[in-house]
Each structure stands twice: as structure tokens, then as C-alpha cells.
Amino acid sequence: MTPEVYRAFLASRATGPDGPSFLQLPAWAQVKDGWSHQLLGWGPESGELTGVALVLLRAFPGTRKHFAYLPEGPVADWADPGLDRWLDPLLAHLKASGAFAVRIGPGPAHRRWTAATVKAATGPGRRLGDVLADEVDPLGTAVAERLRARGWKRCGGDSEDGADAQPRHVFQVPLTGRTPDDLWSGLNQEWRRNVRKARKSGVEITVGSAADLPEFHRLLRITEERDGFRLGRSLAYYERQYAVLNAEHPGRMKLYLARHEGEILAAHTMITVGRRVWYQTGASADHRREVRPSNALQWRMLLDAHALGADVYDLRGVPSTLDPDDRGHGLLRWKLGTGGQVVETLGEWETPMHGTTNQALYRAFQAYLARR
């Protein structure tokens, strides 16, 4: 289908906290170098669309076959009891297009834990799965059961952190019906102290431009080295992302900068789709961390998301560990301070296509992923 018709459908669904992800935007296909794509839609022969999907296709070397990936998609009515009415035709189309396997990221959430619950459960050797959730989404449970019954398998099986390309656990701050004062009260004492300290120290928050992306990328490399992770994204990747997302909708991606005494100490990116806002990537310097530039950035971004009328501010992934001695726990602790909640998504699910060749390619593909 055309990008224009596809975008119109997304706009009709982008009205709440469960609206479409930025990973299902047509522009996202232009971000993903090395992938081809299809924009698909479905519905009754006479009538409006009922669902759409951005399908990314990665060629299997030496063959005409592809791995089909729908990141945080498709955008569909997962509450529809007639799941097969659109899922079966979708799979048939992808198989006919040369897909040997398909990976999807169903939209419904599975479980939620408040910041207070997670903080109280923190302890040696503990993980989120050990803690009774504050809320279990019945739709998410039903969708998981339906997919299993149809032969789909959750990536990573029962592993809490899974083997997903996108984070299985995310951290969200609900904004609906709240005032800026409510958001401030929702921050824990440490966060409020740090935001005040940044303000008193003269940290200045501004919205940057494409010209500031090289500095953002330099700080990101420093952050990766300090925190022991590696996104592996080039400057060209972020320049392309910034350009195509903002070409599709001006202001969709913003770069926030924290300056102190004229120097950029931290830079964070934010993406907006409808009434959902995401903090995507953050970077900060190793020095002058005592002036708390990242806390000041997040507070400004949270206020801006609220001013845009967003229903939720999504700080993206968090680890499932609740052990203070685990390296990843620091990230969870930092996000907990915003007073939001941990949301366990359904994660990503895969199924190989029927046929001996497809099954063999799928096994080879899984072996390749296991070696990475």
C-alpha cells in the first residue's frame, strides 16, 4: 500500500497510550540500512482498513529467501477473536514473497509493576519474575495463548530478558489526567534534589538540531564505554534517522542538550507519534556529573511530553534484575526515580514457514543468532 494511506491509518489509531510504535512508521524502513521492506494493510474487500504492518525483510545470503521482521507490529486489533482472519493471509503473503520465517512484536502489554512495588522487592538474586505484578493484562495473556496454539514461539523462551531485538521490559510514566505538579510529586526525593541541583548549578536545557548530532554521537561512545554496552550505531545512522523521521513529520524526533558553562554534558533523543512519546537514546560525559545534566534533561522532556498532550512517556528498556549488585540494576534504579511503572510486553514471537527448505534456513538462522 502507499505510504500516504498507511500513515492515514496510523493517524487514526494514534489516540492513546497503546497507539502504534515509531518502529511501525513508514519512515523507519528508511532508517534500517540493509533491509528491504513492504507496507501492508488488510480489511474487508469493501470497507476500511482494519490493520497495517511495516515488514522489514533481510535477505539470507546466497538465497532468494528473506527473514521477515515486524518490529513492535503489526498494528492490528489484537482483541479480535478472529485472529486467523488476518494473520493467516499475512503469513501466506509473506511466504509467497520469499520469507522463510516471520518475527512479530504483538502490541498488548502482559504485566505491570509500580515503582513502589519494584523498589520494595529489590534484593540479592531477585528478578522481576519473582514479584507479583500489580496488574496482569487479560488481553496480553489471551494473545500469548492464541499465538502458542498456532505454533508461534516466544523468542528466548521463558527467559525473562528473552532474545528479542526490542526490549521486553520497558519503563513508562503515565501522563493522562496528571498536572506538572503531579509529575513533580511523582519523582522520588533523589530525583527532585538532582533536578534542583542542576537548576542551581546553571545547567541549561535546549533543543538542538542536526548540526549537534556529531556531539551527541561522541558522548554516546563515551557512555557506551563507561556503562559497558555497545549499540554499534554510526553517526550516519543517527543522521539518517533524524532526517527521515522529521521529513515524515516535522518535530517527530528531537535532540535535547544539557549545557553547563557552555559545554554540552548530556544529549538525549525523543520521538513522538500521536499521543505516545519515547525517550530513545541518552548520552553523557564522564566529567561534571555532579551537576546532574541527565536528570535535568529528563525532567524537561517529561514536561514537554505532557505539554504535547501525550498519554504516556516511555523511557524504553530496563533489565529484569532487581539485584543491586548487578551492573544493569543502576539503569532500572535511575528510571524508577521518575515514579512510573515497569511494563512487561509480550515480547517478540517467531514462526518458520512450512517446507523443508524454509525449516532448514530457519535452523541455520537461529544458529547464526546464537553465535552473535
Side-chain angles (χ1 to χ4, degrees):
M1 61 190 310
T2 66
E4 292 75 19
V5 173
Y6 186 102
R7 291 190 194 102
F9 179 85
L10 290 188
S12 71
R13 293 295 185 96
T15 56
D18 298 321
S21 166
F22 67 91
L23 298 174
Q24 280 292 295
L25 294 172
W28 195 253
Q30 301 174 53
V31 175
K32 301 301 292 179
D33 191 32
W35 297 72
S36 58
H37 75 279
Q38 293 183 1
L39 295 178
L40 305 178
W42 55 86
E45 289 187 18
S46 58
E48 297 182 352
L49 289 170
T50 57
V52 298
L54 165 64
V55 183
L56 300 175
L57 299 166
R58 192 68 179 248
F60 194 97
T63 75
R64 295 183 178 180
K65 294 286 190 175
H66 296 82
F67 175 70
Y69 178 38
L70 288 67
E72 297 187 4
V75 181
D77 181 8
W78 290 98
D80 182 0
L83 199 66
D84 294 331
R85 287 182 299 187
W86 60 266
L87 189 55
D88 286 350
L90 174 63
L91 291 177
H93 169 81
L94 293 175
K95 182 179 181 181
S97 299
F100 66 85
V102 179
R103 178 184 290 194
I104 62 175
H110 185 204
R111 295 183 290 181
R112 292 180 172 87
W113 297 263
T114 66
T117 295
V118 175
K119 184 178 179 180
T122 299
R126 303 211 70 191
R127 304 187 72 82
L128 272 172
D130 302 325
V131 184
L132 186 66
D134 293 287
E135 180 183 342
V136 178
D137 192 320
L139 177 58
T141 302
V143 170
E145 291 174 352
R146 291 173 186 171
L147 290 174
R148 286 192 186 94
R150 288 159 177 79
W152 291 79
K153 293 185 178 180
R154 200 177 188 188
C155 298
D158 295 326
S159 168
E160 279 200 60
D161 291 316
D164 308 325
Q166 305 305 324
R168 182 172 292 186
H169 297 92
V170 298
F171 197 86
Q172 297 180 348
V173 180
L175 303 179
T176 305
R178 303 177 71 188
T179 67
D181 286 342
D182 294 332
L183 298 178
W184 178 256
S185 299
L187 301 180
N188 68 14
Q189 186 177 5
E190 181 182 4
W191 261 79
R192 291 196 296 269
R193 182 172 61 248
N194 288 342
V195 172
R196 289 192 188 103
K197 186 170 186 179
R199 187 181 300 136
K200 185 176 181 180
S201 300
V203 174
E204 179 187 11
I205 308 300
T206 59
V207 178
S209 67
D212 298 301
L213 287 170
E215 182 63 12
F216 159 76
H217 192 257
R218 185 187 72 82
L219 290 173
L220 182 59
R221 298 298 298 270
I222 292 173
T223 304
E224 290 175 338
E225 181 69 24
R226 179 181 67 239
D227 295 345
F229 70 92
R230 179 70 172 157
L231 293 176
R233 304 296 190 190
S234 66
L235 172 60
Y237 173 86
Y238 289 103
E239 291 175 331
R240 184 168 63 250
Q241 183 184 112
Y242 189 90
V244 300
L245 290 180
N246 288 321
E248 183 175 70
H249 190 282
R252 170 150 283 159
M253 180 176 177
K254 294 180 180 178
L255 175 64
Y256 283 76
L257 308 172
R259 285 186 173 86
H260 183 252
E261 297 179 352
E263 181 183 2
I264 298 175
L265 294 182
H268 296 178
T269 59
M270 187 173 95
I271 297 178
T272 302
V273 180
R275 292 170 66 174
R276 294 183 68 184
V277 173
W278 293 263
Y279 154 52
Q280 189 197 19
T281 307
S284 61
D286 283 340
H287 61 288
R288 273 189 268 169
R289 295 169 63 83
E290 70 279 1
V291 300
R292 304 301 179 184
S294 293
N295 293 93
L297 270 179
Q298 283 301 310
W299 175 239
R300 166 68 184 276
M301 292 165 69
L302 187 58
L303 288 178
D304 283 1
H306 181 270
L308 288 170
D311 291 311
V312 65
Y313 181 66
D314 193 321
L315 286 92
R316 295 293 282 168
V318 290
S320 63
T321 179
L322 301 182
D323 190 332
D325 292 330
D326 286 349
R327 187 169 190 173
H329 186 263
L331 177 64
L332 174 60
R333 181 179 177 276
W334 188 72
K335 294 183 180 182
L336 284 173
T338 63
Q341 57 187 5
V342 177
V343 179
E344 181 186 17
T345 70
L346 284 183
E348 296 184 335
W349 298 68
E350 284 183 352
T351 188
M353 296 301 187
H354 294 300
T356 304
T357 300
N358 290 331
Q359 298 279 341
L361 288 175
Y362 181 61
R363 289 193 296 271
F365 180 71
Q366 287 187 309
Y368 163 74
L369 291 180
R371 292 195 302 269
R372 290 182 65 182

